[in-house]
Amino acid sequence: MSQSVSQIVRGIIDDLSDGVSELVLIVVIMAEQNAEVPEQLPPAAATVNQTANTLASIARELARTDYVEFEEIVTEIEESATAVDGATNTMAKAINVLQGTGDRKSGWNGLVDACRIMSGKTIRLLQIVYGADLKRLQMTADQLLDSISGVVSPTRHVTRPDKQKFVEDVQGVTGRALKLANFVDSKANDVESPFTRDLLKKIAKDLQDATNEVVDLGNKALQDPGTWGSAFDDRLAALKKKIAEAKQAVENSETTAPMEKLTKLLPLIEAAMAEAKEVPTVVHSKPADYQKQEKAVKDTVQDVIRKIQPNPKRKRDVERLEQSLADQLLAARNGLKSGGKPSSPEGKKLQDSTKALLDALAALKKRGDPEREITPAQKNDFQAALANLRKTGNLITQPADKEQQKYEEVKDGLAGLKNSAKEGNAPVIPQQLRNLVNNVRDLSDQMNRNAQDPHSGQTPWQRQRKAEAAADMEKTLPGLVQKTKEALPLNNPEKVNDMLSAIRRVQRAAERGGRPQDEQQMRDVWADIQKAMQKARNGAKNGNQAEVDDALKTLQNALKNLRSAADRRAGQLPDPSKIDGISEELQALFDKFAHKAQDGAKGDQAANNDIDRNIVPAINDAWKRLDDAAHASAIAPIQEIENLIDDVQAAVDTGDATRLAPAAKQLIEKVNALPSHIESLPDPRAREQARKHVEALQPLIRDLITKARDSVRNPDDSKLVDDSAHAAEALRAPLAHLKHAIDPNSYDRPTEGAGADTKRALAELREALKSGDTERVRAALANLKAAMDRYNGVASEAADNYGKTDPKKKNVVDDALKNLREVATDVNCLQNKPTDVERIKEVMDSVTDALNNVSDSQKNSTKDDTIKAAALANNLLASLAGFNADDMDLGDLLGAAGQLSDLLRGLMGDSTKLARSLGTDPANLSPVAKAALELDRLLLSLEGGEPEPEPVEQVTAQVETLNIELAPIQLTGPVIQDIHFQNVDLASAVTFEDVSAAVAYDLHQKAKAVSSEADQVALELSNLSKFARSGDRQNLLMAAKAAAAHIQAYCRKLTELAKAIPCRNDRERRQQDLLLKTAQGLRDYATQLKILAAVKAATIEDSKDTDATLASLTRNLGGLLSQGLTAMAITQTTMINRK
């Protein structure tokens, strides 16, 4: 046949969908009126039947010709085509019955049901036929890969039968490979996008060339296996890679996978979420239906588990789902026994367990389909985007910022190594370890340089601490390397935990030098500032220009150090201007001071007098107000104690007994001095609350020092090292509450206190494990889970507060909290496995890291996050360069990179403050901001199924901040008023009515600034939701038809825009490809929407299957519409509409 399958199907699909929609509309109207049969009904039904039968005939012909070698496809087509024949016969009979003399109402109901059956069977056949080309290619590729695995190397052939089998095997492989190349080439002719067409053509040619090379080397190896055998093996391995690339490329070229989506992971998750959400409602309102609902939720969750279970990377997800499901069902049964009241303790437990199950499913949904692998093209695109983004590093020039970047690289590398160890991903560990060793050494070198620089602006305490941390990293790193080698290939849980313990030693060493202590930093930097000011004043009065210059240099760097800490504290206040305003005032005063000091050194006595009488008093007053706002002097002594706790643990981590006694002595002295400091606080409320926390310190100090002493006596015992570390964390809990008592209004203080309590619960769990008492371990796990739940509540409230002024910071915190909730589910799972000691230790490690990640996400400023993004980009580039395709799937890549957009929030909008903190001109941020936008676009295209791009109305505003002069986007119609839309949260929507309302609302918010056509689609989707909810079947059909028509208009706009792109470079060609693929996918979805809406309208009773299918389709449709809007906005603003 000259046409491809998809071209044949699309040739009849519009007629069929229109005919079905029109027929069902007529039937519904007439049935509701119980009217006489109109003249146009029988011909309309006959036309639809004829079209459906034509599709069945074409399908059977394809089964007999194109797919005859593929029994599975043939069977599916034959069965579905037969079902369509039966449905059309049923339709014809229903028409005859209706035209007879029987009961008309019954006749109409029969015809409505016949319409439903015919529509459902037809769309099933469409699904099979439309996906047959792709399935044929996939099956061919899979068979090929299996065949290649069975080819024995020619170097092993010794007898004639072996050689004969070799010939047959190679002929079979190469014959199928050439057939696959033809399939790919045929697919290339069927795509609209020039970029995709050229890519598939090239892949087909490469596959053909690789096949011919295998044939050539196979013949040579047959004659001389010693010379050519190894070369043949290499070429066969290369062919295997080409086959996998071809399969992936064709899958990526698919604009939609229409109803096949229902067998993929996303719809399975959505179905499970829908059933889980229903359980509390059934328990409370319909207890008689509970057994049916329990079976439904068990079946749908098990479907998800079966889908992900073969992938070892989803082992933890499986455990979380199994535990969460068991918890929900137990809570539901207990709720039934107690009467099912939502307000009862049992009802509350059911609500909590339901949320936990929904969270586990949502987390899996975010990670994506584990079967999707990174293609070479995706990997190259991502590397290119990261390379552009890494230009952020060019802006990091200050020594302290360079150190911070290296610190973030080390933190990220340690986290990656931990995750690989816990997931059993042994192949990637050697590369991760190599990268980490280099990063640790770079960080150590940078810390030493900063420690030796008296003009760095850092306090003597900071410089000393960095020198010590650098030395400690050098001491602990060899132990990590050795323990990692011993743990590989990760088949011994005890050795894996020894490796994790070694990672934690390096981690603590890096944190001692890299973790900021903002209040102590502010207090001590202020002391250095006073010294530098005095030196400058003396130099000015003595006419010593060199002394003034030296003092001002120190003063300038010290002020940067002060402001970096002040910026972080400002971000924790409900009103950041209380600190930011004073920081700006101090900056202006110091600028004035520097100017006057220079004049004074030249003999201007009036300038010196102005410094003494006006400027210095004003600076002192500003500092006093800044100190009060940040509580720096009040909290700094507490942080000194925290630093000494670090020093005690440092002695343990390095096995240096000589450091322990001095550190312990200083710790005891500082704690003994704390009561007098507390009594000096001006706030009586703070004094009263602080006293009880001070009393809790003494027994915890004794416990830490005892465990630290035991450990340094046995430095190779990782269990004793961990005992000491947990005792140190327990000691921090009262200190965190002390800081909260002094500073009750900052957002991070309650979270810090709750985090310290959770770490204390970890220490109690560790003691329980040492006891070997199973019930004590179980109780300690329950206590830890309760502490994590409290922490989540406190931190979530803080995240909401951040969102009031900085939505992207809220995103960063929320992502960290989602990870924490996943770990909390792991803890919950382990309550039923209290004897699994090694797994419990793994999860305990994850708890600590999750808490620290939330803390970092809260405290980091925009500058900190920008530096962190540069570090992540560096690490990702290094990882992508070193990993094979099998080592990382698409979910890994998206998970690692998805946070970059939020971390780079300082590049969007007003970037003046970020530029100032980095010590650069705001204009220098533009190239990096452009790279951030490009990365957003790339991530959006990689995510595929359900993208959540930036609000489109912000895209133009963002690009304008990059100093690009743009022409405005021209709308073709009026903006639809918001009153027509219902604000429904898409993330929590489950039913078709809620999903379509949520998609409509989100789409309208994005479309109203970019596309009138897409806005009209949003309106009709909103109508679709409204009419489905009210049961208005006539208007439901009309809304679906109108939505489909507006989607087609929107597709024409996308296609016109794509053809207007100049295609001057690879980026523009890819953008054109994205627009064209989006348009094609939307056209297919529009057709499906009409047919599925007809199925729903013709369904007399509610059908969960129909509604779930429609909900999935609408969600995917919304994602593709949003993707088109973002691509449209970026294209118009960056490629076409420049003035």
Side-chain angles (χ1 to χ4, degrees):
M1 292 188 176
S2 59
Q3 286 185 306
S4 71
V5 174
S6 60
Q7 288 170 332
I8 294 169
V9 171
R10 287 188 179 117
I12 62 171
I13 192 170
D14 284 338
D15 290 341
L16 180 62
S17 62
D18 286 340
V20 168
S21 184
E22 288 291 344
L23 176 63
V24 173
L25 180 59
I26 294 172
V27 171
V28 166
I29 293 172
M30 295 294 104
E32 289 177 354
Q33 297 174 359
N34 197 22
E36 293 184 4
V37 180
E39 292 182 5
Q40 72 268 31
L41 179 60
T47 300
V48 169
N49 275 352
Q50 183 179 355
T51 307
N53 288 330
T54 299
L55 178 63
S57 298
I58 292 173
R60 286 193 173 98
E61 179 64 21
L62 289 168
R64 286 191 291 267
T65 54
D66 290 29
Y67 308 127
V68 67
E69 297 177 12
F70 301 89
E71 183 178 351
E72 182 180 338
I73 298 176
V74 171
T75 301
E76 285 183 338
I77 288 176
E78 288 291 348
E79 289 177 352
S80 187
T82 300
V84 168
D85 290 342
T88 56
N89 288 334
T90 300
M91 172 80 74
K93 290 176 182 178
I95 290 287
N96 290 334
V97 169
L98 185 60
Q99 290 178 308
T101 58
D103 178 52
R104 186 189 299 163
K105 184 66 176 177
S106 176
W108 278 119
N109 288 341
L111 183 56
V112 168
D113 196 49
C115 288
R116 175 187 62 80
I117 294 170
M118 191 276 300
S119 300
K121 300 302 181 184
T122 302
I123 202 165
R124 172 60 182 157
L125 181 58
L126 281 173
Q127 168 205 342
I128 294 170
V129 175
Y130 186 81
D133 259 357
L134 176 61
K135 189 167 186 176
R136 176 180 62 175
L137 185 141
Q138 290 170 325
M139 292 174 71
T140 301
D142 291 342
Q143 291 168 1
L144 253 175
L145 294 172
D146 289 342
S147 299
I148 288 175
S149 300
V151 176
V152 178
S153 171
T155 59
R156 296 169 55 189
H157 294 156
V158 290
T159 65
R160 177 170 292 281
D162 288 331
K163 290 186 177 182
Q164 182 60 36
K165 184 177 185 305
F166 173 75
V167 171
E168 293 171 356
D169 287 347
V170 173
Q171 285 177 342
V173 165
T174 54
R176 287 198 196 97
L178 290 173
K179 188 176 292 186
L180 179 64
N182 289 334
F183 289 163
V184 175
D185 189 70
S186 175
K187 178 65 179 176
N189 296 327
D190 187 40
V191 298
E192 186 177 1
S193 165
F195 179 87
T196 299
R197 183 167 56 248
D198 292 346
L199 177 64
L200 291 178
K201 287 282 186 183
K202 181 179 184 303
I203 286 174
K205 178 67 166 56
D206 289 348
L207 184 56
Q208 192 175 47
D209 291 345
T211 304
N212 290 333
E213 289 178 5
V214 168
V215 171
D216 180 51
L217 285 170
N219 287 327
K220 292 179 179 178
L222 198 61
Q223 302 302 320
D224 187 356
T227 302
W228 297 103
S230 295
F232 171 83
D233 291 343
D234 290 343
R235 284 297 89 201
L236 192 64
L239 177 62
K240 189 174 181 179
K241 285 189 174 182
K242 291 294 181 185
I243 293 165
E245 287 176 15
K247 179 184 176 185
Q248 188 70 59
V250 174
E251 289 174 348
N252 291 342
S253 73
E254 290 290 307
T255 51
T256 57
M259 294 298 101
E260 187 186 354
K261 282 275 186 185
L262 301 183
T263 65
K264 296 294 184 182
L265 182 61
L266 175 62
L268 295 180
I269 293 173
E270 289 174 345
M273 292 179 76
E275 299 299 347
K277 202 172 183 180
E278 279 294 305
V279 170
T281 302
V282 171
V283 169
H284 302 325
S285 306
K286 305 175 184 176
D289 294 342
Y290 175 71
Q291 292 301 323
K292 180 180 177 183
Q293 188 59 41
E294 178 176 303
K295 183 179 186 304
V297 72
K298 286 170 69 174
D299 288 348
T300 52
V301 173
Q302 287 299 327
D303 284 344
V304 174
I305 290 172
R306 280 191 291 271
K307 185 73 173 175
I308 65 175
Q309 205 157 28
N311 190 327
K313 294 181 181 179
R314 296 293 177 258
K315 178 182 177 183
R316 301 304 180 218
D317 291 304
V318 169
E319 292 176 354
R320 290 165 185 156
L321 286 175
E322 290 176 338
Q323 181 62 47
S324 299
L325 175 62
D327 290 344
Q328 189 199 40
L329 297 183
L330 177 61
R333 292 168 188 167
N334 290 337
L336 284 171
K337 292 176 184 177
S338 66
K341 293 181 179 179
S343 58
S344 67
E346 292 82 4
K348 180 67 167 60
K349 184 71 174 175
L350 177 55
Q351 292 171 21
D352 291 344
S353 62
T354 300
K355 185 177 185 303
L357 178 54
L358 291 171
D359 277 350
L361 289 163
L364 180 61
K365 180 178 174 182
K366 181 176 177 63
R367 272 189 278 276
D369 193 332
E371 294 179 357
R372 295 183 67 192
E373 297 179 349
I374 302 173
T375 67
Q378 287 172 336
K379 179 178 176 180
N380 291 338
D381 286 349
F382 203 75
Q383 284 176 310
L386 287 174
N388 286 331
L389 191 58
R390 194 167 59 171
K391 294 173 185 175
T392 309
N394 298 336
L395 307 175
I396 300 173
T397 57
Q398 300 175 78
D401 295 342
K402 287 182 178 179
E403 179 191 311
Q404 186 176 346
Q405 181 182 352
K406 291 299 177 186
Y407 170 59
E408 292 292 349
E409 288 174 5
V410 168
K411 273 175 46 180
D412 180 60
L414 288 165
L417 192 61
K418 275 187 181 182
N419 288 337
S420 296
K422 292 173 186 176
E423 293 173 357
N425 195 4
V428 305
I429 282 182
Q431 180 64 37
Q432 286 180 319
L433 185 62
R434 284 191 290 271
N435 294 342
L436 177 63
V437 168
N438 291 333
N439 284 339
V440 169
R441 287 172 177 163
D442 288 345
L443 174 59
S444 177
D445 290 345
Q446 187 66 52
M447 280 185 171
N448 277 322
R449 283 194 294 272
N450 290 349
Q452 295 164 13
D453 181 5
H455 295 296
S456 66
Q458 297 179 328
T459 66
W461 156 76
Q462 285 178 305
R463 296 201 299 275
Q464 177 188 350
R465 197 156 188 77
K466 291 183 185 305
E468 291 172 350
D472 289 349
M473 282 189 289
E474 293 291 346
K475 290 177 183 176
T476 54
L477 186 60
L480 169 58
V481 173
Q482 182 59 37
K483 292 296 182 185
T484 302
K485 290 179 179 178
E486 292 173 2
L488 291 173
L490 306 181
N491 55 5
N492 184 320
E494 188 170 356
K495 288 186 181 296
V496 170
N497 268 311
D498 285 343
M499 173 186 167
L500 293 175
S501 181
I503 292 174
R504 290 192 289 272
R505 294 194 196 198
V506 178
Q507 190 174 16
R508 287 190 289 266
E511 287 174 352
R512 281 193 286 274
R515 185 183 61 234
Q517 294 278 44
D518 293 325
E519 291 82 357
Q520 184 180 0
Q521 181 176 327
M522 292 174 69
R523 183 201 65 179
D524 292 353
V525 168
W526 172 246
D528 287 351
I529 285 174
Q530 287 181 305
K531 293 176 184 177
M533 283 198 304
Q534 188 58 53
K535 181 178 178 180
R537 291 164 73 186
N538 292 339
K541 290 174 182 177
N542 296 329
N544 189 335
Q545 186 67 52
E547 186 176 11
V548 169
D549 290 343
D550 188 65
L552 290 179
K553 180 179 179 181
T554 300
L555 190 60
Q556 180 184 24
N557 289 329
L559 184 59
K560 289 176 183 175
N561 200 9
L562 176 67
R563 291 199 65 171
S564 66
D567 285 348
R568 280 190 290 270
R569 293 314 309 158
Q572 304 306 319
L573 295 180
D575 183 6
S577 65
K578 289 185 176 180
I579 287 180
D580 284 339
I582 302 173
S583 293
E584 295 298 334
E585 181 183 345
L586 273 172
Q587 182 68 60
L589 286 169
F590 278 118
D591 289 343
K592 189 174 181 181
F593 176 90
H595 178 70
K596 292 291 185 179
Q598 294 282 6
D599 290 346
K602 297 173 184 175
D604 186 343
Q605 189 57 40
N608 289 328
N609 291 337
D610 194 20
I611 289 175
D612 292 341
R613 296 171 185 171
N614 300 311
I615 299 176
V616 170
I619 289 174
N620 289 335
D621 175 71
W623 160 252
K624 177 66 171 62
R625 287 182 281 118
L626 181 61
D627 188 18
D628 290 343
H631 303 280
S633 296
I635 288 176
I638 300 170
Q639 291 177 331
E640 289 178 339
I641 294 173
E642 291 176 325
N643 295 333
L644 288 166
I645 294 172
D646 287 342
D647 290 345
V648 169
Q649 188 60 37
V652 172
D653 288 336
T654 58
D656 189 346
T658 63
R659 294 171 62 179
L660 180 58
K665 180 181 178 183
Q666 291 180 59
L667 174 60
I668 293 170
E669 290 173 351
K670 285 289 184 182
V671 171
N672 289 340
L674 192 57
S676 61
H677 172 67
I678 295 303
E679 295 306 318
S680 71
L681 296 174
D683 184 355
R685 179 202 55 80
R687 292 198 300 271
E688 181 180 354
Q689 291 186 5
R691 290 183 189 117
K692 62 181 179 181
H693 298 302
V694 172
E695 294 170 1
L697 292 172
Q698 292 297 339
L700 295 172
I701 289 175
R702 286 194 295 272
D703 186 49
L704 169 61
I705 293 174
T706 299
K707 288 176 176 172
R709 183 192 60 209
D710 292 344
S711 179
V712 294
R713 289 173 178 171
N714 302 276
D716 294 329
D717 190 332
S718 63
K719 295 182 176 63
L720 292 179
V721 173
D722 290 340
D723 283 345
S724 174
H726 280 281
E729 293 297 347
L731 180 52
R732 293 181 190 278
L735 298 176
H737 292 300
L738 268 174
K739 288 188 277 187
H740 187 200
I742 294 169
D743 179 15
N745 296 320
S746 292
Y747 294 147
D748 62 332
R749 297 303 182 201
T751 309
E752 185 178 1
D757 287 342
T758 305
K759 289 182 179 179
R760 183 163 55 189
L762 277 170
E764 292 169 359
L765 174 57
R766 185 165 187 83
E767 293 302 312
L769 287 172
K770 288 167 62 179
S771 74
D773 184 336
T774 301
E775 289 308 311
R776 183 180 172 187
V777 172
R778 197 191 309 273
L781 284 164
N783 181 48
L784 175 59
K785 175 62 166 57
M788 294 182 74
D789 288 343
R790 288 192 294 272
Y791 179 89
N792 177 62
V794 172
S796 295
E797 183 178 349
D800 291 339
N801 286 326
Y802 294 128
K804 295 172 184 176
T805 55
D806 190 348
K808 284 211 167 189
K809 182 177 179 70
K810 181 182 186 304
N811 291 346
V812 175
V813 179
D814 281 343
D815 280 345
L817 281 171
K818 286 173 185 174
N819 176 57
L820 178 119
R821 287 192 288 269
E822 288 183 25
V823 178
T825 303
D826 292 341
V827 173
N828 200 34
C829 293
L830 288 168
Q831 289 184 54
N832 295 324
K833 303 174 184 177
T835 58
D836 192 350
V837 175
E838 299 306 325
R839 173 64 181 145
I840 290 173
K841 288 179 180 178
E842 275 188 26
V843 173
M844 289 170 69
D845 180 83
S846 297
V847 172
T848 301
D849 286 345
L851 293 169
N852 291 341
N853 287 340
V854 175
S855 178
D856 288 347
S857 70
Q858 285 188 323
K859 293 183 178 181
N860 282 357
S861 64
T862 54
K863 171 190 171 182
D864 297 327
D865 282 341
T866 302
I867 292 173
K868 182 176 181 177
L872 293 185
N874 281 344
N875 280 0
L876 277 171
L877 272 171
S879 298
L880 286 170
F883 290 170
N884 295 320
D886 293 339
D887 297 333
M888 179 184 281
D889 63 27
L890 191 59
D892 296 325
L893 185 149
L894 292 173
Q899 60 182 308
L900 287 174
S901 171
D902 292 329
L903 290 174
L904 289 166
R905 65 190 191 278
L907 292 168
M908 304 305 173
D910 182 9
S911 57
T912 304
K913 182 177 178 181
L914 175 61
R916 185 265 304 159
S917 63
L918 288 171
T920 188
D921 189 277
N924 294 335
L925 297 182
S926 292
V928 184
K930 292 176 189 176
L933 281 178
E934 176 65 15
L935 182 64
D936 274 355
R937 186 203 64 76
L938 177 59
L939 284 173
L940 177 61
S941 69
L942 288 176
E943 285 170 347
E946 201 178 343
E948 296 180 2
E950 285 290 314
V952 175
E953 64 270 17
Q954 295 180 11
V955 172
T956 302
Q958 289 176 349
V959 176
E960 284 172 352
T961 67
L962 313 182
N963 301 320
I964 301 172
E965 190 176 6
L966 305 174
I969 296 175
Q970 297 295 325
L971 299 177
T972 58
V975 175
I976 297 170
Q977 293 183 358
D978 293 345
I979 194 173
H980 295 290
F981 300 91
Q982 181 184 1
N983 188 354
V984 178
D985 178 31
L986 183 58
S988 59
V990 175
T991 66
F992 164 62
E993 291 82 1
D994 284 348
V995 169
S996 53
V999 168
Y1001 178 83
D1002 287 355
L1003 182 63
H1004 168 63
Q1005 299 304 317
K1006 298 165 185 173
K1008 58 187 178 182
V1010 178
S1011 170
S1012 301
E1013 291 78 13
D1015 209 12
Q1016 287 290 337
V1017 176
L1019 176 62
E1020 295 304 336
L1021 289 177
S1022 180
N1023 289 335
L1024 198 62
S1025 169
K1026 180 174 64 176
F1027 297 134
R1029 207 181 297 277
S1030 66
D1032 187 340
R1033 295 190 291 175
Q1034 295 181 38
N1035 281 317
L1036 172 81
L1037 283 166
M1038 295 298 292
K1041 288 183 65 176
H1046 289 302
I1047 290 171
Q1048 295 290 354
Y1050 177 52
C1051 290
R1052 287 193 290 273
K1053 288 291 182 181
L1054 291 176
T1055 303
E1056 290 170 6
L1057 189 62
K1059 292 179 179 178
I1061 295 176
C1063 293
R1064 296 163 294 197
N1065 51 49
D1066 195 52
R1067 177 175 178 269
E1068 291 185 350
R1069 286 189 289 274
R1070 288 180 183 278
Q1071 188 73 358
Q1072 183 189 66
D1073 179 65
L1074 177 63
L1075 287 165
L1076 291 172
K1077 287 165 75 172
T1078 301
Q1080 183 57 65
L1082 287 171
R1083 284 191 283 269
D1084 294 337
Y1085 278 141
T1087 301
Q1088 294 172 48
L1089 180 63
K1090 284 189 289 186
I1091 298 178
L1092 282 171
V1095 174
K1096 181 171 179 61
T1099 303
I1100 297 173
E1101 295 182 358
D1102 287 344
S1103 168
K1104 282 188 176 181
D1105 289 343
T1106 301
D1107 281 3
T1109 304
L1110 264 171
S1112 180
L1113 172 70
T1114 307
R1115 193 183 289 272
N1116 294 331
L1117 173 63
L1120 209 54
L1121 286 162
S1122 295
Q1123 176 176 296
L1125 284 170
T1126 302
M1128 177 182 280
I1130 291 174
T1131 302
Q1132 289 178 317
T1133 54
T1134 64
M1135 297 179 185
I1136 294 175
N1137 281 3
R1138 294 192 188 190
K1139 292 181 180 177

